[in-house]
Amino acid sequence: GEYYRRHPDAEVARMHALSRILQDRLVQILILQNQGGDQLRINTEAIHPEELLEEVAADARLMLPAGMAFELDSGVSDVPFWFIDRYLVSQVLMNALHNAFKFANSRVVLGCREEADGLLFTIRDNGAGYPDQPGFRPEALPQELKGGESRKGTGLGLRFNERIAAAHGGRISCSNDAGACFALWLPK
């Protein structure tokens, strides 16, 4: 992964990122397919939250649409480590970033901070927000989505995100505040 993120040919780096996204989607489908089976097993390891945030941001920048601003807002530089499944939590954040990049007008912010006996990851954008939540602003939809392109996805990412959060003893939430705000809270 790191080799491709720093590859001198931006197109090679982008193609690698897209192939990883496809691979991750297949893993998500397989995990959801097994919903009725055993409880999802997570492989927790001690990770520094800021390192994880930087890894996810590096991958996200490879998918960044032209003209979109992407910012990191980390309040966890002093948090020494957290026990989570790095791969699965990264996928949750990448799912939310994919949606934010699709629906934002011009800006997406990936954040993380320690809060209420847990770790809170957030992804905020300046788009219209979530249609099924108070504060949705259809007039703020990106121009290319106003013509009728579907605003609804398959729901696969959301179901996967909920499952991964629950496996960690956490939760996700979706709200609107001058755009969409996705939050993943993980307990200590």
Side-chain angles (χ1 to χ4, degrees), residues 20-35 40 87-99 154-164:
R20 273 203 34 223
I21 290 168
L22 288 174
Q23 176 186 349
D24 292 347
R25 291 291 183 194
L26 289 172
V27 167
Q28 291 172 23
I29 290 168
L30 291 172
I31 287 172
L32 289 173
Q33 184 68 27
N34 191 30
Q35 267 186 323
L40 177 63
Y87 176 70
L88 294 176
V89 170
S90 293
Q91 282 195 41
V92 168
L93 297 174
M94 289 302 290
N95 283 342
L97 283 166
H98 173 78
N99 285 340
T154 63
L156 171 70
L158 185 59
R159 286 193 306 276
F160 175 80
N161 291 353
E162 288 170 340
R163 182 115 194 259
I164 299 310

Side-chain angles (χ1 to χ4, degrees), residues 57-75:
D59 285 343
R61 284 185 183 98
L62 295 172
M63 308 183 332
L64 192 63
M68 182 75 60
F70 178 63
E71 300 170 24
L72 216 53
D73 179 19
S74 174

Side-chain angles (χ1 to χ4, degrees), residues 92-168:
V92 168
L93 297 174
M94 289 302 290
N95 283 342
L97 283 166
H98 173 78
N99 285 340
F101 290 157
K102 183 177 177 182
F103 294 105
N105 285 313
S106 60
R107 182 172 177 251
V108 174
V109 179
L110 170 62
C112 185
R113 66 180 181 271
E114 202 169 0
E115 183 178 276
D117 290 331
L119 191 63
L120 183 68
F121 291 95
T122 57
I123 295 163
R124 296 179 176 277
D125 68 49
N126 66 345
Y130 293 103
D132 55 348
Q133 297 292 319
F136 176 63
R137 303 171 304 137
E139 71 281 0
L141 276 170
Q143 194 60 39
E144 60 273 13
L145 296 180
K146 289 182 180 177
E149 182 182 318
S150 175
R151 287 182 247 153
K152 289 290 252 182
T154 63
L156 171 70
L158 185 59
R159 286 193 306 276
F160 175 80
N161 291 353
E162 288 170 340
R163 182 115 194 259
I164 299 310
H168 281 83

Side-chain angles (χ1 to χ4, degrees), residues 72-86:
L72 216 53
D73 179 19
S74 174
V76 290
S77 59
D78 59 338
V79 178
F81 61 87
W82 212 269
F83 288 95
I84 62 174
D85 187 311
R86 175 188 300 265

